[in-house]
Amino acid sequence: MKIARISLDQGPRYAILDEDTHQYLVLTDDPMFGKVEVSGQRIAQDEAQLLSPMIPRSKVVGYIGSYGSADTIEDLDMFLKPNTAVIGPDDPVILPSWAQTVRHEPELAVVISRACKDIPASRASGVIFGYTVANDVTAVAGDKARAKAFDTALPTGPVIETDLDVADLHVVSRVNGEVRREGRTSELAFSVDELVAYASTIFTLLPGDIILTGAPAGVGEIEAGDSVEVEVEGIGVVANPVMRRG
C-alpha cells in the first residue's frame, strides 16, 4: 500500500494511491494512529499536490558509512536531523549562504510505527510502519549539526510504501537527469532491521520517526539551478529544484 500526504483546501490529508485508476483515495484519519478508511474523496494522481509523506513528530536518525566495510555496527557514525529540515516533492532545496559546497545523498528511509527502545533486530519489522525515499542533503561544514540540520536539508517522498521487501532495492540519484550516485540496499553492511534495532539502543524511537539507512557511493555535489531527484525501487521518485538564499 502506497500512502501519500496531499495538500487540499481543508488542509493536508493522507491518501492511498490506487495504481489501477491513478487516483488518490483520501483517508478519514492519519493511518498511523487511526483506521485506514477512505472518505470517498478522490484526487487524480496528476492533479495531486504531494507533501512530505511524514513530518517526524520527534526526530530523524541517520547513519554514515553503512555502505562501507564497518566490522561492527558500533563503528558507524550517527547524526540527527530536526523535523524543520523535512520538505516534500517539488519543494526547493535552499542552499545556505554560509556553505560553498553542498552534497546530496540518496537513501532508503524507514518510518517508525510505535514507541520502542532496545528492540532486537528479529523484532524490528514490528515497529516499522513503512518506507519512503529521502535525500540527505549535506553541507560541507565543520560540524554535523550545521552540515545536516539546516532547513530544507531532507526532501522525502513521494509516498510511504507499507509492504515492501527492502533486502535488495535499487537506489539512485540524478542531477539534471545525469546519474550521480547508485547502489543497492543489498550492499548495506548491516540489514535495515539491524539499523533500526541499533538506533533504538541509542534513542527511544517514537511513531513517525525516520531512520535514514545511508547513501551509496558517488559524486554528489549540487548547485543553485540544478534539479536533483532520488529514486528507490518500489517506492518512487522525490525530485526537487535547488536554489541559493541571496
Side-chain angles (χ1 to χ4, degrees), residues 23-68:
Q23 292 180 318
Y24 284 106
L25 312 182
V26 179
L27 301 178
T28 59
D29 201 354
D30 183 331
M32 184 172 290
F33 297 98
K35 293 182 179 179
V36 179
E37 295 182 343
V38 297
S39 67
Q41 185 175 9
R42 293 171 174 258
I43 308 294
Q45 186 176 358
D46 59 1
E47 296 177 1
Q49 180 183 345
L50 296 182
L51 305 172
S52 169
M54 178 58 64
I55 298 295
R57 291 155 175 80
S58 173
K59 57 189 171 295
V60 177
V61 180
Y63 284 97
I64 299 172
S66 54
Y67 277 85

Side-chain angles (χ1 to χ4, degrees), residues 26-112:
V26 179
L27 301 178
T28 59
D29 201 354
D30 183 331
M32 184 172 290
F33 297 98
K35 293 182 179 179
V36 179
E37 295 182 343
V38 297
S39 67
Q41 185 175 9
R42 293 171 174 258
I43 308 294
Q45 186 176 358
D46 59 1
E47 296 177 1
Q49 180 183 345
L50 296 182
L51 305 172
S52 169
M54 178 58 64
I55 298 295
R57 291 155 175 80
S58 173
K59 57 189 171 295
V60 177
V61 180
Y63 284 97
I64 299 172
S66 54
Y67 277 85
S69 56
D71 292 328
T72 68
I73 201 165
E74 289 84 0
D75 293 332
L76 300 180
D77 286 335
M78 302 179 75
F79 61 90
L80 296 175
K81 285 193 179 225
N83 56 14
T84 49
V86 177
I87 58 174
D90 301 319
D91 291 335
V93 173
I94 307 297
L95 306 179
S97 59
W98 44 263
Q100 297 303 308
T101 303
V102 179
R103 296 168 179 155
H104 75 282
E105 300 184 11
E107 309 201 15
L108 171 70
V110 183
V111 180
I112 299 300

Side-chain angles (χ1 to χ4, degrees), residues 136-192:
D136 175 21
V137 179
T138 304
V140 176
D143 60 88
K144 288 189 179 68
R146 283 205 307 160
K148 295 281 192 180
F150 61 89
D151 289 356
T152 77
L154 191 64
T156 61
V159 297
I160 297 170
E161 174 56 75
T162 62
D163 184 17
L164 187 66
D165 182 350
V166 297
D168 186 27
L169 300 178
H170 184 223
V171 179
V172 63
S173 66
R174 305 175 188 92
V175 176
N176 304 325
E178 178 185 343
V179 172
R180 293 289 182 85
R181 306 185 70 158
E182 190 171 19
R184 303 194 68 87
T185 55
S186 56
E187 298 167 352
L188 284 164
F190 305 95
S191 71
V192 170

